[in-house]
Amino acid sequence: MNKNRLSLILAALTAVAIAVGGFFLGVQPQLASASADEAQQAQTDQTNATSRAELDRLRERFTTLDAMQASLDGLRDSVPATADTDAFIRSLDTVAGSSGATVSSVSVGEAQAYSAPASGTAPATAEAAPGAAASPSATATAEPSAEASPTAPAAPSVTTNPLVTPANFSVIPVSISIEGSYDQALAFTGGVQDGKRLFLITTLTSSSSTSAEDGAPDGAGRQTWTLGGFLYVLSAPAAATASATATATPTAG
């Protein structure tokens, strides 16, 4: 091999080495940067698409903002942040006027901390109806039998909300006595339940006097109805925290 040919081979190898080095030092970083830019662009496009979808959703919700605010105001009137029992008592006069009944007395108890209800347990066996034991034929023919025992109904499940706690939710017992006919009492009960303030009626009893009073026709007397139930108060988180702090702080004395 002559000296010229060796020089050409060395020159060719040098050129190849320079080309390879130039690729790794110049072209490869540019290609990696371009690939990273494409991945970042794809991620940016995906983020923009998600943001546009969220913006469209917020625009749609904004069109119902007034209705949602009105619904929220109604809920706040139904279960306010303060007891405000005076306003509820005043509203009874309006309901009485529209129903024709007369409110004779209103009793408001002390507010009680809310306690979550527990699932009830149905009795294992049904109790005998009154008067069943007095029937001779029933006593004579009745025989112990496991198949004759009725199946106890399943207790309903209780649904609670963890956001409602004794710290922010209070229950106020209320008893209302009215005077009037059955239709008037029914109208009054419906009017109270349809009012702004949520009033859960749990008991309803009635009694009648035997003497005519206030011009009752035919000596029919006066019929009294007593409604028992609860008002509710949902305190704001800040108010509940301040109340708990004030209760826990001992007074100087």
Side-chain angles (χ1 to χ4, degrees):
M1 181 180 295
N2 57 31
K3 192 181 284 188
N4 289 334
R5 185 176 234 179
L6 182 60
S7 298
L8 289 175
I9 293 174
L10 292 175
L13 292 175
T14 303
V16 171
I18 292 173
V20 172
F23 174 80
F24 284 104
L25 294 177
V27 178
Q28 178 64 23
Q30 295 297 326
L31 293 177
S33 177
S35 178
D37 290 342
E38 290 180 359
Q40 185 177 4
Q41 182 64 40
Q43 184 178 2
T44 301
D45 292 340
Q46 183 178 1
T47 302
N48 290 339
T50 303
S51 299
R52 282 192 295 269
E54 179 65 14
L55 184 59
D56 293 339
R57 187 186 71 84
L58 292 176
R59 284 189 182 129
E60 184 180 356
R61 295 294 296 271
F62 182 77
T63 59
T64 62
L65 182 61
D66 292 340
M68 293 173 63
Q69 185 62 48
S71 177
L72 177 60
D73 292 340
L75 293 174
R76 285 174 174 168
D77 290 338
S78 178
V79 183
T82 59
D84 197 17
T85 54
D86 291 341
F88 173 74
I89 294 174
R90 288 193 298 269
S91 69
L92 298 179
D93 293 334
T94 303
V95 177
S98 60
S99 64
T102 302
V103 178
S104 57
S105 66
V106 179
S107 175
V108 179
E110 294 291 334
Q112 306 169 4
Y114 162 81
S115 60
S119 298
T121 303
T125 57
E127 296 181 359
S135 174
S137 59
T139 304
T141 58
E143 295 180 359
S145 174
E147 296 180 356
S149 300
T151 302
S157 60
V158 176
T159 302
T160 59
N161 191 324
L163 298 178
V164 178
T165 66
N168 63 4
F169 199 60
S170 302
V171 181
I172 303 176
V174 177
S175 178
I176 306 171
S177 294
I178 62 173
E179 297 175 355
S181 64
Y182 172 81
D183 291 336
Q184 291 172 336
L186 188 63
F188 181 88
T189 302
V192 172
Q193 291 182 313
D194 292 338
K196 289 184 177 181
R197 185 71 180 269
L198 174 62
F199 179 51
L200 176 64
I201 298 177
T202 57
T203 60
L204 176 61
T205 59
S206 64
S207 61
S208 302
S209 62
T210 56
S211 59
E213 299 180 10
D214 299 334
D218 302 328
R222 177 180 299 177
Q223 191 167 16
T224 302
W225 307 80
T226 302
L227 290 72
F230 299 97
L231 298 175
Y232 301 95
V233 177
L234 180 62
S235 304
T241 302
S243 176
T245 303
T247 303
T249 303
T251 58

